[in-house]
Amino acid sequence: MTRTTSTADRSTIFHLFLSWILIAATVVSPVFSAAQSVTVTGKVTDEAQQPLAGATVSVKGKPSTGVTTDARGIFSIKAGPGELLLVEFVGFQPQEIKAGTKELNVRLATLPASLNDVVVIGYGTVRRKDLTGAVASIKGSDIKSQGVSDMTRSLQGKLPGVTIESAGGDPGSGTRILIRGVGTLGNAAPLYIVDGVQVANINNISSSDIASLDVLKDASAAAIYGSRAANGVVLVTTRSGRSGIPVIQFNTNVGAQRLARKMPVLNARQWANVSNAAHDAAGLARLDIAKNPDSLGTGTDWQDAIFRTGIMQQYDLSVSGGSENGRYSVSGGYNDQQGIVDVTGYKRYNLRVKSDTKKGAFQFGETILLTREKWIRTPTGWGGQGGGPVGSATKMIPVFSIYDTSAPGGYAGAYGPVVNVANPVAQLHLEDINYELTNILANAYGEITILPGLKYKLNLGYTNTFGSNYDYYHRYQVGTLFSHPTNDISMAKDQTNLVLLENTLSFDRHFGKHSLQALAGYTYQQTKYSYTSASKTDLPDGIDVLDAGAGTASTGGNRTQSDLVSVLGRAIYSYDNRYLLTASFRRDGSSRFGSANRYGNFPSVAVGWNIANEQFYHRGSLVPTLKLRASYGVLGNQEIGDYQYSAAISSNINYVTGVDQHKWFGAIQTAFASPNIKWETTKTSDIGVDAGLLDNHLNLTLDYFIKQTSDVLLNVPIPGSAGSSTNPVVNAGTLRNNGFELGLNYGNHAGALEYNFFGTLSVIRNKVIQLGTGTQQIFGGQPTHHGASTTVTQAGGPVSAFYLVKADGIFNTQDEVNNYSKNGTLVQPNAAPGDIKFFDANGDGQISDADRVYCGSPFPKFEYGFGASGNWRNLDINLFFQGTSGNKIYNGLRQDLESMSLEFNYSTATLNAWTPQRHTSIPRAVINDPNFNDRTSSRFLESGSYFRMKTLQIGYTFPAPRLRSMHLTSVRAYLSADNLFTVTKYSGFNPDIGRSINNPTSTNVSQSSGILNRGVDFGHVAYPIARTFSAGVQISL
Amino acid sequence: MNKIYITTAILAVLLAGCAKKTLELNNPNQITTVTYWKTEADVQSAFAAAYALFRDVDGGFWGVRGVELSNGRGDDFFIRNDVSYLYQLSTFTNVPDNAAATNVWNVCYKAIFRANQILENIDRVTTLSDNARKAYVAEAKFIRGINYFTLAINFGDAPLRLKTPQTTPDYFVAKSPEADVWAQVKKDLTDAAADLPLSYPSQWVGRATKGAAVAYLGKANLYTGNWTDAATALRSLTQSPYSYSLMPNYGDNFVAGHENNAESVFEIQAGDVGGTNPWAGENGNQALGVTTAQEFAPAEVAGWFEVSPTDKLFNEFQKEKTTANDFDPRMYATLAWNYPGSTFYTKPFSSFALVFGFQSMFKKYQNYNQTGEITGASGAADYSSSNNERALRYSDVLLMLAEALTMQGQTADAYPYINQIRHRAQLADLPAGYGKDALMAEIRHQRMIEFAREGLRFYDLKRWGLLPTEIASSDKVGRQFYVPKKFDLFPVPQAEIESNPAMKQNDNWK
């Protein structure tokens, strides 16, 4: 084992060594001659004559001569008489000017708004006007602080084609991002790159640190990331300083969060009445605790007992600045969020340093990002059937009380013949779970300009993610059902290291009407993961270290490694700003595959046509800007576990033997290897239009795409009789997503009022073309603790389509039961009046899983977001709305709460249960439910469409003259509301469901929340999303 | 510019050379099948992994779900509606996706896959003596045979897999008729009986012996109505070289203090060793005991009270008093109920609530001498009991032998074996002169009370053809939902049908 590690280490060193050879080889490159040069000085301003700091001035054709303007816009450069100077500044039209003897005055004109942007693409940037791929971008300044700790949550609905869903309401739980639908059945999470370095997620990035977030959606844009890009790429660029006067900014936000909607469940008296009716109907004795309903009163409101107003606070301080030779940006932040469920919470500390330094032909820079996060989590269920505290709070019978001072631990709980639902307050206080995560991201680069336009860059990236899990059980006796005689502790440490090495050569030149941007590179990336765990039982009260435990100890640990070696190349060519061509290629070699299929090639090509720049085009028309784009490319996915290609022997499958009953160590092959698996490949075609209308006040981006994934990597279920413990990963099928996405933006002003309207619309269709053995069905989406699956993935339908037995009304009379027969036998022999009639879809005369039929898709027909922002004098306002339409949600919590079959609390809907006198749509109350009214069926499938007022923010900027005396540049104060209201028919906590992810560092979102579980509200472990009100201040010095 | 080309070219060549090595990684966590199967220790570890499945918490036939499955359908057993799939199988409302049945199916085939691996790889271990090799082959066949036995009695028709799958098409095997499954059971057990040792040194006690293979062979013949073969095999166990005998105290068979005793023919080993979590799955954290006792214990001692004996069983025990006019000692060892001076978990029985309306609770296999069910060394919330599950006791050998003889009309030969059982239970000798039917009635009565909670009742009723009448005459919850033939066997699990194109559902379940 150690041998392989050292081989890997050696290869890292080898790669580093290679890079330095390359640098040495290039350093001795061209020496510039500047004969007879004189010093030319000048000033660069914008159209309003305001000085532009940081503009670049160079002798045309000799970028290495470049200097930047200072805070007053002044530059000084050595140039030969008559040589042309090129003056450039991002967002402005470049200008050429002849060097003379007198001081130059250069006035730069701004570029039209939409073309102004620089879009970050992999390994470089491109001006939006030259862009041929589908890239959705958002500027840091547009990511408004909304009193949410997680920046990605505020992006919901703002990026066309990008679905952002909460991964649970737990503080710090993060989001799930899906780009252009679900293109795989495994891990559908995009590739996240922060300042050039791959990270597991971006939940730990502070929104005030973000300069831009760019989402590469189509193959042409993403192909440069090859085998990891099939699910799209999210590029986060953190803020850089700007040359000029240092800027010091301080932002703070303080807010409060509340549960948006409580589940309507029965109080003690109501519960006893329903329970008694259910027992009477079943011919069973009533429960002792329910015998006297009227004496019970309302009992305990378990939801009130765990939900609270969560206070949250955020503070960010940043300092940035720079000179001609360098720029810097340093920021720090603190974020503290109490969960709306008692005890739970999230804290984060951020520190970030970023700088660039230029000298002559050399440029160096780095990003260092340090974060520390701490979660206080909810327990995940105590062996019983309540699940987490939120699930327990809805199901716990209100007759039981919260506290019992005489019990070990101090809490009361359930007793008698009821289902094992734990006291949620006890759960929260008797098990302490926290997770701390320290994240280091360091990235440094050196760049040298070898020839005009030709640069070599060496980039070294490193991340170290160090997680520490702590789980302490206090000894307790909670009611009669939950007993934990000793204090126990378990601790676990995990560490992920990533080393990245990139060598790139880039070339950027204009030749007359030709412009060429080329890139070639070689990269190496190594990821190492290790895990150690230890636990011990029987600790003294108040002590929480392993050494103190007197009972059983257990330990565990493992490690994995994966390597990726790649060569890449790209050319972006444009002719006369009219015809654009982008071609890219990447070849990846991955250690995750066996030797036969180790390498994959990922080419892409895209073309663009700026019609508006054609001679024949009438510039003054209604559409002054118009560009057509088309692209095609191949992307890959390698997100499977490591070492899947070899047949492994699993160990610690132990048994007991001998008179002394000792442990007998066991080991054997338990699963089949997948020696021949290969890359999952996604072919994407995209056509798009970018247009500016109404004097470019209205900007529009429209794309249509087809994304076909073949050789989908999937653990395909094999027969249990094959004897394997897990399903082997195979290249199992083909999926297709196609859709439209539209982004609109209209900005204008009327007098002092500046306003902006924006919106996005995404329409995505998802279809499984072929799967496994052909008739393969893959089931998923378990909705309750013991419930049957709800979804099927099979050829011809969407991924994880709802596939359910259909509920077909209620039998109102015994005749109706008797008439529902086939060849003389009753279809539902166990039914009585008041029971649900199920549809015998296959006509075999009985109700079984074979009667499941397609009942809808968890994917919306369309998703949208729209908003408005306005400024009037010192006031500003932001509104944002967002929603989905046409998707279904399976309400797992309702399946439990409306069941009346088991002994726990029920929904208030059961007050209206069917009786012979009162025919309703809620079936009769009957314990043990012989007709399975509560079986997994279409009865619990609901519309998931919703429309939400996501954000309302009103701000006031204090007048500048008064601030100056206080040495302040600007001060803005605001009030903000998040999730103000939601219009939906969905009856669960929230239509924006999400199963909690237990390990936030996990890159494999699917393992914890699962593509095949989409649209299934597993209420059992829910954590509802909160409504937030907050106030904030933004101060610049 | 040339320099760049040259540098790039050199770089490309160097990279091509090193990339291959960089990407060639070995899994540091596990060894592979290529390097395994070198030593006898490898073989022994493979056996631990195969035996461990008997006790698998979620599908081992003697793990907690398996015990609930094998007992749950009997007329003597009630399972409450807490874990719905168990309630459903016990009330004959189960459907093909029943998790308990699916898991038993899957775990049997996992064990068969592991036994087949041993059979296929044993020759790669070149250091073994011939005798050792033969004994290991016999032991692997024993494990395979027992698992096919479990499949035959629960599912009837089942795929026969005698080799490990090598390519994808090998995953998909059609089912064979029940008769072929029985033939394989007998073949494996015959082969096993030939080469297994009579006993093991103390550190290996608990593994399959020659006696265990012979007993199961006899049982397989009894279940298939081959009375002569059954009698031959079972009778041999009453003679030298075997030395089985009944424990003088019946209750000693079900407490941790008397494991692997003289009455034990095959026993599933459980110990509160290993990790602390019985539900951890196959890894080092897994507690190696059984959680059945916690599941069955009453709430008052932190159990989950998932099951209860029916009053039919309670009454059956009282049909005959001992020679001292007391309750049958087997009743005291099997059930806890409210008689004068009755204690349970060291407390008066009256401090326990009979929450289901039945009059007794199960005491057999419970750790009732403790003050609570959860006082194990691990201290974990899911207590794991060290009490071994007795898979096949010598008293079963005697009663099966008596049955095989009775069914051949050799009633006189059957008497002494029945009387051994009665003597231990302090019952008077059976009056002479019973005919075949009367003797069978006595055997059926004895089996019902001798083996209550040991997972035999439902399968006995099935082979006697008495399921319809006995279930109908019981106070079992769900008796009205029993459909003859259909609920005698579990359907082929839904997951197997869905993933195996060669698989067809049983006719009674179509």
Side-chain angles (χ1 to χ4, degrees):
Chain A
M1 309 307 116
T2 44
R3 193 189 57 78
T4 55
T5 316
S6 63
T7 307
D9 287 344
R10 269 204 303 277
S11 76
T12 313
I13 295 163
F14 179 73
H15 289 277
L16 262 172
F17 180 65
L18 267 182
S19 308
W20 290 114
I21 291 179
L22 196 76
I23 290 177
T26 48
V27 163
V28 283
S29 319
V31 180
F32 306 103
S33 55
Q36 305 292 315
S37 59
V38 293
T39 299
V40 183
T41 59
K43 184 175 182 181
V44 181
T45 62
D46 64 11
E47 287 156 309
Q49 299 271 32
Q50 291 299 309
L52 282 174
T56 314
V57 183
S58 60
V59 177
K60 200 180 172 211
K62 295 177 185 170
S64 62
T65 59
V67 296
T68 46
T69 56
D70 66 12
R72 295 161 298 151
I74 306 292
F75 68 89
S76 134
I77 186 170
K78 284 201 164 77
E83 275 191 304
L84 273 181
L85 296 183
L86 180 64
V87 184
E88 293 169 298
F89 193 63
V90 173
F92 292 84
Q93 201 85 49
Q95 211 180 102
E96 288 172 11
I97 190 162
K98 199 174 257 183
T101 45
K102 64 172 184 175
E103 194 174 293
L104 298 168
N105 208 341
V106 188
R107 227 161 115 183
L108 294 181
T110 45
L111 285 167
S114 66
L115 305 178
N116 192 338
D117 305 345
V118 169
V119 177
V120 179
I121 53 174
Y123 306 95
T125 60
V126 64
R127 283 175 296 275
R128 190 164 272 283
K129 73 180 174 70
D130 292 337
L131 186 68
T132 51
V135 180
S137 306
I138 192 157
K139 291 267 168 277
S141 54
D142 294 330
I143 303 172
K144 297 286 179 195
S145 170
Q146 288 166 21
V148 285
S149 60
D150 172 13
M151 170 273 299
T152 53
R153 205 162 275 185
S154 61
L155 301 178
Q156 205 170 26
K158 290 189 177 156
L159 300 163
V162 180
T163 304
I164 294 168
E165 304 167 322
S166 64
D170 328 29
S173 67
T175 51
R176 247 190 289 184
I177 298 185
L178 285 179
I179 296 170
R180 289 188 163 176
V182 174
T184 175
L185 298 175
N187 182 1
L191 173 69
Y192 294 103
I193 305 277
V194 172
D195 285 350
V197 184
Q198 179 177 349
V199 296
N201 62 59
I202 52 174
N203 299 333
N204 61 329
I205 310 277
S206 168
S207 57
S208 54
D209 281 345
I210 292 183
S212 73
L213 184 139
D214 298 86
V215 181
L216 311 184
K217 297 188 289 188
D218 73 343
S220 146
I224 202 73
Y225 287 105
S227 66
R228 296 164 295 158
N231 297 323
V233 183
V234 176
L235 299 170
V236 172
T237 309
T238 67
R239 284 186 199 280
S240 295
R242 289 177 71 163
S243 46
I245 312 162
V247 177
I248 299 172
Q249 282 182 313
F250 175 72
N251 299 336
T252 178
N253 176 294
V254 177
Q257 297 192 304
R258 287 287 291 170
L259 177 68
R261 173 197 261 176
K262 203 169 135 182
M263 284 296 102
V265 294
L266 303 175
N267 68 30
R269 187 178 47 78
Q270 292 170 325
W271 170 81
N273 283 325
V274 173
S275 172
N276 288 340
H279 284 81
D280 296 351
L284 295 171
R286 295 181 173 192
L287 292 178
D288 285 345
I289 51 170
K291 281 204 169 126
N292 300 304
D294 290 330
S295 68
L296 295 171
T298 55
T300 305
D301 186 324
W302 290 102
Q303 292 183 84
D304 286 354
I306 63 158
F307 288 116
R308 66 172 173 190
T309 301
I311 303 298
M312 46 188 299
Q313 41 192 326
Q314 261 172 282
Y315 306 94
D316 290 295
L317 179 67
S318 70
V319 180
S320 65
S323 65
E324 318 63 302
N325 294 325
R327 301 176 296 168
Y328 65 90
S329 169
V330 180
S331 61
Y334 170 65
N335 192 314
D336 181 354
Q337 188 183 347
Q338 287 182 338
I340 56 171
V341 173
D342 199 12
V343 179
T344 63
Y346 172 72
K347 281 184 187 178
R348 185 179 66 215
Y349 305 86
N350 290 355
L351 179 65
R352 190 185 59 92
V353 178
K354 185 174 183 176
S355 77
D356 304 289
T357 306
K358 256 186 208 173
K359 180 151 197 201
F362 294 96
Q363 182 169 345
F364 299 94
E366 84 296 313
T367 298
I368 293 170
L369 191 62
L370 306 175
T371 60
R372 184 168 177 83
E373 295 169 278
K374 179 175 178 176
W375 289 260
I376 300 173
R377 296 221 171 109
T378 56
T380 51
W382 282 6
Q385 300 199 28
V390 174
S392 294
T394 61
K395 285 197 221 166
M396 184 75 177
I397 294 172
V399 171
F400 300 123
S401 44
I402 304 177
Y403 301 103
D404 175 1
T405 46
S406 66
Y411 291 89
Y415 52 87
V418 299
V419 169
N420 320 324
V421 176
N423 172 345
V425 184
Q427 268 182 302
L428 287 166
H429 288 94
L430 293 176
E431 187 182 356
D432 307 332
I433 309 177
N434 60 58
Y435 185 71
E436 290 185 350
L437 188 66
T438 305
N439 216 313
I440 301 168
L441 181 153
N443 189 43
Y445 72 89
E447 188 176 73
I448 175 172
T449 303
I450 303 160
L451 290 170
L454 182 67
K455 289 175 179 169
Y456 164 77
K457 184 175 179 182
L458 171 68
N459 193 51
L460 293 170
Y462 171 78
T463 67
N464 190 337
T465 307
F466 185 79
S468 173
N469 193 66
Y470 167 100
D471 190 343
Y472 185 86
Y473 268 101
H474 299 261
R475 63 190 179 86
Y476 58 74
Q477 179 68 44
V478 175
T480 54
L481 299 177
F482 294 88
S483 178
H484 202 106
T486 68
N487 300 309
D488 301 344
I489 191 168
S490 27
M491 306 183 89
K493 310 267 181 205
D494 60 80
Q495 186 164 17
T496 309
N497 280 320
L498 176 139
V499 175
L500 170 73
L501 186 81
E502 294 173 332
N503 298 284
T504 49
L505 273 174
S506 64
F507 181 69
D508 190 354
R509 288 298 297 265
H510 301 267
F511 313 91
K513 290 181 171 177
H514 307 271
S515 148
L516 178 66
Q517 218 182 316
L519 172 82
Y522 161 76
T523 74
Y524 165 79
Q525 182 171 313
Q526 179 188 70
T527 309
K528 281 182 173 178
Y529 167 83
S530 67
Y531 173 81
T532 320
S533 68
S535 66
K536 206 131 177 219
T537 64
D538 204 2
L539 278 74
D541 287 349
I543 305 290
D544 68 345
V545 295
L546 290 164
D547 281 352
T552 310
S554 56
T555 57
N558 57 63
R559 63 188 154 86
T560 58
Q561 183 185 338
S562 65
D563 290 358
L564 189 70
V565 176
S566 321
V567 288
L568 54 92
R570 177 174 61 206
I572 300 174
Y573 169 77
S574 90
Y575 176 74
D576 198 21
N577 282 331
R578 285 184 287 158
Y579 308 110
L580 312 167
L581 174 75
T582 304
S584 70
F585 176 78
R586 182 165 180 140
R587 180 172 166 81
D588 276 342
S590 168
S591 64
R592 286 208 168 120
F593 298 96
S595 53
N597 296 310
R598 196 157 277 159
Y599 295 91
N601 297 321
F602 305 97
S604 84
V605 64
V607 293
W609 183 23
N610 271 320
I611 303 178
N613 292 348
E614 291 288 356
Q615 295 288 334
F616 61 79
Y617 195 83
H618 181 51
R619 298 296 291 257
S621 76
L622 198 62
V623 188
T625 312
L626 184 62
K627 182 166 80 176
L628 298 183
R629 296 177 276 108
S631 73
Y632 173 79
V634 180
L635 303 169
N637 186 356
Q638 57 147 5
E639 289 309 310
I640 51 170
D642 298 322
Y643 317 117
Q644 299 275 341
Y645 51 84
S646 67
I649 298 290
S650 299
S651 56
N652 261 320
I653 306 175
N654 305 325
Y655 191 56
V656 171
T657 182
V659 171
D660 59 349
Q661 298 275 284
H662 64 274
K663 182 172 95 176
W664 177 8
F665 175 84
I668 202 159
Q669 180 186 352
T670 58
F672 303 115
S674 307
N676 299 317
I677 47 171
K678 58 185 178 192
W679 303 88
E680 179 176 311
T681 52
T682 300
K683 293 174 181 162
T684 305
S685 313
D686 184 291
I687 53 172
V689 182
D690 298 324
L693 292 83
L694 310 173
D695 291 336
N696 283 331
H697 284 303
L698 175 64
N699 288 295
L700 170 156
T701 298
L702 178 68
D703 279 272
Y704 174 74
F705 68 90
I706 301 173
K707 188 169 138 184
Q708 182 144 332
T709 307
S710 50
D711 295 323
V712 169
L713 287 166
L714 179 67
N715 293 91
V716 168
I718 59 168
S721 63
S724 175
S725 295
T726 54
N727 294 315
V729 174
V730 292
N731 295 102
T734 305
L735 305 178
R736 188 169 65 202
N737 284 274
N738 61 335
F740 284 101
E741 51 205 33
L742 173 67
L744 284 171
N745 193 334
Y746 181 81
N748 209 335
H749 61 88
L753 176 67
E754 284 177 46
Y755 58 90
N756 194 26
F757 296 99
F758 51 93
T760 68
L761 177 72
S762 310
V763 180
I764 298 171
R765 290 283 172 278
N766 170 289
K767 191 175 180 184
V768 180
I769 305 296
Q770 177 259 321
L771 191 64
T773 53
T775 56
Q776 189 95 45
Q777 293 181 305
I778 298 175
F779 297 93
Q782 192 191 8
T784 66
H785 193 65
H786 292 301
S789 68
T790 53
T791 71
V792 69
T793 300
Q794 60 185 346
V799 170
S800 68
F802 286 111
Y803 193 61
L804 301 163
V805 175
K806 269 196 143 152
D808 202 8
I810 286 199
F811 293 115
N812 281 319
T813 62
Q814 188 60 43
D815 281 350
E816 289 178 25
V817 176
N818 296 344
N819 290 338
Y820 193 35
S821 64
K822 174 106 182 173
N823 303 330
T825 37
L826 297 187
V827 175
Q828 287 175 245
N830 304 341
D835 280 337
I836 302 255
K837 180 182 181 184
F838 294 105
F839 179 55
D840 180 19
N842 68 352
D844 66 351
Q846 56 182 349
I847 302 301
S848 70
D849 285 343
D851 294 312
R852 288 179 292 192
V853 291
Y854 174 77
C855 286
S857 167
F859 295 96
K861 292 200 166 61
F862 59 92
E863 288 178 68
Y864 56 90
F866 60 90
S869 61
N871 286 301
W872 183 72
R873 300 188 195 279
N874 292 333
L875 279 174
D876 63 87
I877 185 165
N878 279 282
L879 297 167
F880 189 67
F881 302 87
Q882 161 267 329
T884 69
S885 178
N887 56 308
K888 292 277 197 283
I889 299 177
Y890 190 92
N891 191 339
L893 193 57
R894 186 160 73 86
Q895 183 171 4
D896 276 341
L897 295 179
E898 286 186 13
S899 68
M900 297 172 281
S901 127
L902 294 167
E903 315 282 7
F904 44 59
N905 198 14
Y906 313 121
S907 151
T908 51
T910 59
L911 291 171
N912 195 32
W914 188 98
T915 65
Q917 294 76 35
R918 183 183 59 195
H919 293 183
T920 66
S921 62
I922 303 288
R924 69 184 175 126
V926 55
I927 282 291
N928 295 340
D929 190 13
N931 186 53
F932 299 153
N933 295 325
D934 70 343
R935 75 181 299 148
T936 299
S937 77
S938 64
R939 181 183 162 198
F940 306 107
L941 191 66
E942 301 182 24
S943 165
S945 304
Y946 70 93
F947 169 70
R948 170 178 295 161
M949 179 155 189
K950 179 102 181 99
T951 314
L952 169 65
Q953 193 174 104
I954 298 169
Y956 179 77
T957 307
F958 291 88
R962 295 200 57 172
L963 296 173
R964 236 168 267 141
S965 60
M966 296 162 70
H967 305 287
L968 297 174
T969 311
S970 85
V971 175
R972 175 176 176 264
Y974 65 91
L975 292 171
S976 182
D978 185 47
N979 279 349
L980 203 55
F981 66 84
T982 304
V983 180
T984 183
K985 286 183 185 153
Y986 182 63
S987 68
F989 278 116
N990 202 300
D992 182 24
I993 55 170
R995 289 184 157 184
S996 294
I997 297 173
N998 291 327
N999 180 3
T1001 59
S1002 167
T1003 46
N1004 193 345
V1005 175
S1006 73
Q1007 275 179 351
S1008 41
S1009 52
I1011 291 299
L1012 304 180
N1013 299 330
R1014 274 189 69 85
V1016 179
D1017 192 347
F1018 194 55
H1020 201 64
V1021 296
Y1023 193 120
I1025 294 162
R1027 175 180 295 156
T1028 309
F1029 294 94
S1030 65
V1033 183
Q1034 297 167 316
I1035 300 169
S1036 291
L1037 296 179
Chain B
M1 209 66 161
N2 278 343
K3 255 181 213 159
I4 303 303
Y5 294 136
I6 293 163
T7 319
T8 312
I10 293 169
L11 194 65
V13 171
L14 288 170
L15 293 178
C18 78
K20 201 173 173 185
K21 248 186 257 159
T22 306
L23 298 176
E24 201 76 57
L25 300 178
N26 286 319
N27 187 340
N29 306 296
Q30 294 174 311
I31 46 177
T32 65
T33 47
V34 180
T35 52
Y36 202 59
W37 305 107
K38 292 277 191 274
T39 65
E40 184 164 7
D42 291 347
V43 180
Q44 285 167 346
S45 292
F47 270 107
Y51 275 111
L53 291 168
F54 285 134
R55 187 225 54 229
D56 188 275
V57 71
D58 236 348
F61 201 54
W62 290 274
V64 58
R65 293 289 180 255
V67 169
E68 284 160 336
L69 174 136
S70 61
N71 287 292
R73 294 173 296 168
D75 57 347
D76 55 350
F77 217 80
F78 164 80
I79 299 184
R80 74 171 169 127
N81 194 4
D82 177 44
V83 180
S84 52
Y85 58 79
L86 296 174
Y87 176 77
Q88 286 165 17
L89 74 84
S90 78
T91 53
F92 309 108
T93 52
N94 55 301
V95 289
D97 73 354
N98 188 276
T102 305
N103 290 337
V104 165
W105 170 281
N106 288 346
V107 166
C108 283
Y109 280 107
K110 280 185 201 175
I112 289 164
F113 172 49
R114 293 176 192 180
N116 284 336
Q117 282 183 57
I118 296 169
L119 294 171
E120 285 172 9
N121 288 292
I122 188 96
D123 288 339
R124 290 171 56 192
V125 185
T126 50
T127 52
L128 291 177
S129 71
D130 263 7
N131 281 341
R133 183 188 321 274
K134 275 159 92 178
Y136 285 130
V137 167
E139 195 173 2
K141 286 186 174 176
F142 174 85
I143 291 170
R144 190 169 70 182
I146 298 298
N147 281 288
Y148 276 121
F149 187 104
T150 302
L151 288 165
I153 61 172
N154 285 294
F155 299 94
D157 302 350
L160 276 180
R161 294 177 178 268
L162 306 176
K163 287 198 171 74
T164 61
Q166 299 301 315
T167 61
T168 303
D170 297 346
Y171 296 155
F172 313 110
V173 175
K175 62 185 184 182
S176 298
E178 183 177 342
D180 294 2
V181 181
W182 281 117
Q184 185 60 44
V185 170
K186 291 173 195 170
K187 184 172 188 303
D188 276 341
L189 292 171
T190 306
D191 291 354
D195 291 320
L196 277 172
L198 280 166
S199 66
Y200 288 90
S202 65
Q203 76 268 30
W204 290 117
V205 165
R207 287 165 59 184
T209 59
K210 184 188 287 286
V214 171
Y216 270 104
L217 181 61
K219 189 172 177 180
N221 278 306
L222 186 83
Y223 272 52
T224 50
N226 299 326
W227 315 118
T228 332
D229 291 346
T232 307
L234 295 165
R235 197 200 306 267
S236 74
L237 295 172
T238 64
Q239 299 156 356
S240 179
Y242 303 102
S243 55
Y244 296 112
S245 65
L246 296 182
M247 292 295 283
N249 178 5
Y250 172 82
D252 284 352
N253 284 307
F254 314 106
V255 293
H258 295 273
E259 293 172 328
N260 301 311
N261 59 36
E263 189 172 335
S264 174
V265 179
F266 187 57
E267 193 161 317
I268 308 305
Q269 310 295 312
D272 195 12
V273 292
T276 55
N277 182 0
W279 298 93
E282 297 189 313
N283 58 54
N285 290 329
Q286 187 182 40
L288 303 180
V290 292
T291 55
T292 320
Q294 190 198 357
E295 290 250 337
F296 287 17
E300 289 82 353
V301 289
W304 298 108
F305 56 100
E306 299 290 344
V307 309
S308 172
T310 60
D311 284 354
K312 180 175 182 179
L313 179 66
F314 184 68
N315 296 331
E316 187 80 15
F317 270 113
Q318 299 174 61
K319 282 187 173 165
E320 190 179 357
K321 290 277 174 78
T322 64
T323 47
N325 196 33
D326 196 357
F327 293 111
D328 191 319
R330 292 175 294 184
M331 185 171 183
Y332 287 116
T334 306
L335 301 179
W337 76 101
N338 201 8
Y339 56 87
S342 171
T343 60
F344 196 34
Y345 292 95
T346 72
K347 288 184 266 288
F349 186 80
S350 54
S351 57
F352 293 89
L354 287 159
V355 290
F356 301 116
F358 298 112
Q359 297 184 59
S360 62
M361 295 179 184
F362 275 118
K363 186 176 175 187
K364 195 185 260 189
Y365 285 116
Q366 298 302 120
N367 296 293
Y368 56 84
N369 289 324
Q370 300 174 172
T371 54
E373 192 51 74
I374 308 187
T375 50
S378 73
D382 291 299
Y383 173 59
S384 144
S385 169
S386 292
N387 200 353
N388 289 356
E389 285 279 335
R390 280 67 166 179
L392 205 159
R393 291 192 286 120
Y394 185 56
S395 68
D396 195 10
V397 170
L398 295 177
L399 283 171
M400 288 194 291
L401 175 54
E403 184 177 342
L405 295 168
T406 305
M407 291 307 287
Q408 298 177 75
Q410 302 166 15
T411 48
D413 291 349
Y415 258 74
Y417 303 117
I418 299 170
N419 276 331
Q420 279 194 53
I421 301 295
R422 293 180 60 87
H423 288 167
R424 197 229 333 235
Q426 296 160 34
L427 302 176
D429 272 354
L430 200 62
Y434 275 34
K436 183 181 162 191
D437 290 349
L439 207 52
M440 269 311 294
E442 165 67 8
I443 289 170
R444 288 199 291 267
H445 165 69
Q446 290 299 336
R447 287 192 71 88
M448 183 172 184
I449 56 179
E450 173 78 21
F451 302 119
R453 153 66 179 88
E454 292 180 60
L456 301 180
R457 175 72 181 165
F458 181 84
Y459 306 101
D460 280 346
L461 290 176
K462 183 176 137 219
R463 62 196 178 81
W464 295 329
L466 294 175
L467 277 172
T469 51
E470 292 296 318
I471 284 173
S473 72
S474 75
D475 55 340
K476 181 174 182 59
V477 174
R479 60 190 174 278
Q480 69 273 30
F481 301 133
Y482 170 75
V483 177
K485 296 280 179 223
K486 180 173 181 178
F487 287 102
D488 294 7
L489 291 170
F490 287 111
V492 176
Q494 189 72 24
E496 178 79 21
I497 303 239
E498 282 158 1
S499 56
N500 186 352
M503 183 59 61
K504 297 265 182 298
Q505 187 52 276
N506 297 332
D507 287 341
N508 287 321
W509 283 90
K510 270 181 185 162

